[in-house]
Amino acid sequence: MKPASFEYFAPTSVADAVSLLQEHGLEAKLLAGGQSLVPLLNMRLARPTVVIDVNRVDGLSYVREDGDALAIGAMTHQREVERAELVQRVNPLLHAATRLIGHPQIRNRGTVGGSIAHADPAAELPAVALALDAEMHITGPNGEKAVPAADFFVTYLTTTLEPAEMLTEVRVPALPQGTGWSIQEMARRHGDFALAGATVTLSMNGGMCSDARVVLFGVGATPLRVQQAEERLIGERVDAALISEIGREISSSIDEPLADIHATSEYRRNLAGVLTERALVEALGRAA
Amino acid sequence: MTFEFPKSLDDLPISSPKWVGKPVNRVEDPQLVTGKTEFIDNITLPGMVHCAILHSPHAHARIKSIDMSRAAALLGVVATLTGEDAERWSRPMYTTPQGWGGYVLATDKVRFVGEPVAAVAATSRYIAEDALELIDVEYEPIDPIVDAFSAAQPGSPKVFEEHDDNIMYQRVFTWGEVDESFQKADHVYKESFRWNRVGANPLETFGVISEWDLVDDTLTCRGAFQTASFMAMGRAATFRLPSNKVRFIAQPHGGSFGGKGGGRGTDITLMLSRKAAGRPVKWIEDRMEYLSSGGSQAWDRHYEASIAVNDDGTVTALRVKLLDDMGATAEGFGATGAVKPMASFTGCYAIPNAEYDLTLVATNKLPASPYRGMGPPPHNFVLEQMMDIAARDLGLDPAEMRRRNFIPADQFPYIIASGNEYDSGEYEAALDKVLEMAGYEQLRREQEEARAQGRHVGIGVVSTIEPGVFDWNAYTVIGTQGIGIPEGVTVAIDTMGKITARVGFALEGQGQYTVVTQLLAEYFGVELEDVRVVLADNLSAPPNFGPGGSRLGVAITGAVLGAAQRLTEKLTKVAAKLFEVQPEDVELLDGMLRVKSVPESQLSVANAAAIMLNRSDMLPPDVDPSPQATFAWTAPGRVEPDEQGRVKSYLTAANACHLVMVEVDPDTGQVEILKYYIADDCGTRLNPANVEGMVQGAVAQGVGATLLEEYVYDDDGQLLTASFMDYLLPTIHEVPFPEKAALVTPSPFTPLGAKGAGESAIHTTPAAIMCAINDALLPLGVRAKEVPASPNRLWKLIQGASG
Ligand SMILES: Cc1cc2nc3c(=O)[nH]c(=O)nc-3n(C[C@H](O)[C@H](O)[C@H](O)COP(=O)(O)OP(=O)(O)OC[C@H]3O[C@@H](n4cnc5c(N)ncnc54)[C@H](O)[C@@H]3O)c2cc1C
């Protein structure tokens, strides 16, 4: 379990990092918290010949309120997001989701940008990014751009990031006052990647659902937004019957999820439905 | 000379015990928690090089060719090794049963994914691993044999061509009137069960540094050895060297639980050292190597069981048929795990008749290793499920069912149907204690209420035996002749009165150095700080075996007390000469040698030792100036098994009763442990804190085996759980901290009445949790028969019930 040899760079600015990426192309990998990359290197499953350590790049670690959104630097440790009082206040769903990532030791090192760029389909941050309409701020050879979460995740461990691009900031809109929210997941052990998960936001107005978001994770190649379920909710009085109907529909309608030794496709489908129901119940209870 | 060992703490030469029986802090811990303990990977020797091992990617394949030339040419590579070297320099591995193994590096074919095929030594581990990628091996894959049942069929493709089939061992042991009992029984219950592969996972994997001195052909190995002397003997045999030319230095290590086999790594590094002109060669097994090719896997079992029961709930006979999938070879003593259940076959119960139909089969998986408990945990799971099945059908409460079958307290020592002798026990008292702690009736009411609300809550109550202190005769039925297990210590007092105990076993985590320290401080009336325990290598230690089979605590107690007594005899003579009395007139009490009739005439142990060493004029004529004594303890009365394998093998029988309450989430299959109570009786507790640690750790492993851990192979024999991402060990979040009570029924057979306690709750926890799960599932009319009871499995089972 020793990595193949690689050349190591530790740039101190985004511009330097990007130009290194540009120079080395597909041979290079950015190193953020290393919680996903380093095991891959050690098992020789990833063999970049160049590793660009961006931990010394200044100014990429912050959580700020910016208008109606939170601006989070890509290199911000997950633990900082978890502990930021600001996040708890402005976006309790993001706070809750962050707490579900691994263990404190992992979150001490793992970064927000790393998790989102890595795009593990069972990861929490990509799912809430999608649920909350987050925006990815990216710097590349041609300057900066912003990509909505809905366009960012392509497939397993793949995003629209180009080889020479770096994620620098994630902007997460605040959860409007009164919005009900929930994130539910099932993992074999505390801190494991979820076998499946669901996150929901729900706005209620005069007893009727005025807006809803339902996003599943761990059941497809990317986080999955279930618009069908959202449409069933909007304009309805959300009750137990509707919730269990939605759960059943999800279990029977989603594409066959990946099977592994911990969960068959059939079981993952079931979890998707059950967890969505639980998330809906909890979100409804929180909606004002 | 026969020794009279003190039967209880009252028999020690002290007015009131100060150390023994008290939860004193472990003497090992300050070093451990401050990071000062020297583990094998902390050691660097001059000229040392690093080994990396190439493992087979195939479960079953013929090796057509191996080309090491590109690897050997890499800058930094010092030596390379293949099966050809192993054939030339070593003998095939020792196996039980015999004849089911090959060389430490594959020669003609590979038999499991992970089997070592070649190795290199290089100036760094990085370069060594780079070199592995330059080794060119041409394989011709053969259909792998993965399923145990197919492997056992006549005509199955074979793991070893030289054998007629894949059956490593097959035998039916019959004890008593089994057929008749089943014919006469009011009720017969039959069920089959599956226990999937689990195994030991110590914090530290195996590691070794080997040197083959080419000048005088001596071997020196430092490493994480559980049983260093035994390993040394094995190396002498493997390399055809005189055994006194093999030196083994055991390092303190981070646990073993049976997983620190290490034979292959040791032999490979030794041969690499030989090729590297004697340079020390280090190999640290990494976790992926450990999981896929180390001592990590055990107990891959398919069971069929039946019990014969009378209307009143008394069980008259038990039949267990076991097909145990041993993997590719019989190296590493994994097979002993299928035999040990014979030491406690009928559990806590007076079941007079029993039968064990045992088959060990070879497949293309990693060879099975020992694991804490050594085999009974799955057997206990089966037996306890059968007890519950019978109880349910007869309308008996599970606790009552057990009560009706317990061996009564007044019948000890008690010889069970399978031949082992239980020393003592109070099984009903332990059950009562647990029921009282748990508030059993109230718990059952809570369960009723939960059920009324549609929740699936269940309670398991089980009692098990932990056979302790194994002996040479325990596994002879499968061919482990020649493994004696005396345990020795040399106790020395120096001029300054300080006491040193020299032992042959390394620090491994169980706290035995603390026990030795407590005993000696107590015996000679000194402080714990006045005693130091040091490790000796195999060539200078007294006879020893080390931890294993829940024996070391008892064995080392015997050794220490024996040595202390011998030493006291010498000191007594010195005091007698000084006081001009006869030795019989002098006694040791509270650290003083005193004349019985004249208590003012007294000499401290320290002074007596100093006189011996420094004043030859004061030495009695028959005493040499050596305040030291050695004693090696072994259990008395151990003889060969009879024709049905019956044997008094394990000296002690500890008992535990566990009560667990769980809730099963029917929508996800997730199990939550709500409550957990334990009453544990391992006789005299030499250090109650040590025992508590053993119980708690074993609960963790039991929870892992029951709910999380499983080595999974696919149909091609590929291991799908080669990292901790997929082989799920319980973490602090998954492990309950049960409320624990101690009962003390001393053993009449051991020094101070202590019983083996090192395996502990792993014998009980899986059975208890599975009984609780099945109690929870009862209203659904389904029964979980497979371990681990993963959420996916339970969910599927529940789906079957409602659908
Ligand atoms: C035991 C364990 C449990 C875990 N459990 C969970 C869990 O439950 N849920 C979960 O979501 N995650 C979990 N993780 C993963 C963890 O959250 C990682 O932190 C995260 O996936 C990657 O973040 P990182 O900062 O460590 O990135 P790295 O490992 O350094 O990088 C990951 C990938 O992202 C790329 N990358 C990193 N930063 C950038 C950037 N700014 N721009 C472009 N590309 C970038 C890297 O090149 C690399 O390919 C777990 C990890 C471990 C070890």
Side-chain angles (χ1 to χ4, degrees), chain B residues 405-455:
Chain B
N405 285 284
F406 281 148
I407 300 165
D410 60 8
Q411 304 228 341
F412 292 92
Y414 182 91
I415 296 177
I416 60 172
S418 51
N420 195 29
E421 184 179 43
Y422 291 175
D423 51 350
S424 65
E426 294 264 6
Y427 306 153
E428 200 165 1
L431 173 69
D432 285 335
K433 182 75 208 168
V434 156
L435 297 182
E436 177 205 314
M437 271 198 295
Y440 187 54
E441 280 167 26
Q442 173 61 23
L443 272 196
R444 285 287 180 197
R445 278 194 293 276
E446 285 173 28
Q447 180 189 23
E448 280 314 308
E449 285 160 24
R451 276 188 178 155
Q453 298 161 10
R455 292 167 57 203

Side-chain angles (χ1 to χ4, degrees), chain A residues 1 44 47 189-190 264 267, chain B residues 130 133 668 729 734 792:
Chain A
M1 274 220 266
R44 300 195 177 202
R47 313 177 61 119
R189 295 173 302 185
H190 177 96
T264 58
Y267 179 61
Chain B
D130 289 347
E133 299 185 335
T668 63
L729 288 178
E734 284 73 46
N792 199 154

Side-chain angles (χ1 to χ4, degrees), chain B residues 148-149 189-198 298-306 318-326 334-342 344-345 355-360 373-386 389 763 766 785-787:
Chain B
F149 286 106
Y189 303 95
K190 191 167 182 192
E191 191 53 276
S192 49
F193 301 94
R194 171 80 172 116
W195 180 290
N196 288 285
R197 274 190 175 217
V198 297
W299 312 343
D300 190 347
R301 297 187 172 176
H302 304 266
Y303 278 105
E304 261 174 53
S306 39
L318 167 69
R319 247 195 199 121
V320 176
K321 184 172 178 184
L322 168 60
L323 178 64
D324 201 353
D325 181 344
M326 301 310 295
T336 54
V339 176
K340 176 157 169 199
M342 288 164 58
S344 56
F345 199 80
E355 187 174 285
Y356 195 22
D357 180 342
L358 175 60
T359 303
L360 306 182
M374 289 292 284
H379 178 92
N380 297 345
F381 148 67
V382 169
L383 172 58
E384 295 299 322
Q385 298 312 303
M386 296 310 292
I389 288 169
H763 286 286
K785 296 178 286 187
E786 185 166 5
V787 169

Side-chain angles (χ1 to χ4, degrees), chain B residues 226-229 470 485-487 504-506 508 512 544-549 551-552 555:
Chain B
Q226 179 172 352
T227 52
S229 298
F470 91 105
I485 52 155
E487 195 68 43
F505 61 90
E508 190 171 82
Q512 291 104 347
N544 69 88
F545 180 80
R551 64 176 286 280
L552 190 51

Side-chain angles (χ1 to χ4, degrees), chain A residues 1-6 38 41-44 46, chain B residues 126 129-130:
Chain A
M1 274 220 266
K2 302 284 181 222
S5 70
F6 52 78
V38 171
L41 292 176
N42 283 347
M43 295 179 197
R44 300 195 177 202
Chain B
Y126 292 83
E129 291 193 17
D130 289 347

Side-chain angles (χ1 to χ4, degrees), chain B residues 54-205:
Chain B
L54 183 72
H55 300 277
S56 168
H58 299 286
H60 201 187
R62 219 163 287 290
I63 298 176
K64 305 279 284 179
S65 67
I66 304 181
D67 182 352
M68 302 294 286
S69 56
R70 289 197 304 138
L74 184 71
L75 189 68
V77 170
V78 174
T80 66
L81 199 74
T82 67
E84 265 179 42
D85 302 296
E87 265 176 319
R88 185 164 60 246
W89 288 335
S90 68
R91 288 187 181 154
M93 283 175 290
Y94 180 80
T95 68
T96 44
Q98 282 169 28
W100 287 89
Y103 291 90
V104 293
L105 290 167
T107 49
D108 52 337
K109 66 174 192 175
V110 289
R111 295 185 172 85
F112 62 95
V113 167
E115 179 167 358
V117 171
V120 300
T123 48
S124 81
R125 177 73 177 245
Y126 292 83
I127 294 173
E129 291 193 17
D130 289 347
L132 295 185
E133 299 185 335
L134 302 174
I135 299 174
D136 300 301
V137 187
E138 205 187 325
Y139 295 99
E140 182 184 287
I142 312 171
D143 278 346
I145 305 150
V146 183
D147 176 66
F149 286 106
S150 332
Q153 289 299 315
S156 160
K158 289 187 286 184
V159 177
F160 284 87
E161 271 75 29
E162 55 270 40
H163 286 291
D164 294 338
D165 50 33
N166 295 313
I167 309 295
M168 287 182 172
Y169 184 84
Q170 192 160 42
R171 189 165 168 190
V172 180
F173 299 93
T174 304
W175 305 304
E177 313 286 299
V178 180
D179 288 342
E180 294 85 332
S181 305
F182 273 95
Q183 276 154 21
K184 278 195 247 148
D186 297 329
H187 309 269
V188 170
Y189 303 95
K190 191 167 182 192
E191 191 53 276
S192 49
F193 301 94
R194 171 80 172 116
W195 180 290
N196 288 285
R197 274 190 175 217
V198 297
N201 263 293
L203 264 182
E204 180 208 32
T205 52

Side-chain angles (χ1 to χ4, degrees), chain A residues 14 31 45 49 52 78 82 112 114 149 185 196 202 231-232 276:
Chain A
V14 172
L31 172 68
L45 292 172
T49 55
I52 304 165
Q78 293 150 6
E82 173 192 350
V112 171
E185 67 176 44
L202 206 58
E231 282 158 18
R232 300 276 276 116
T276 304

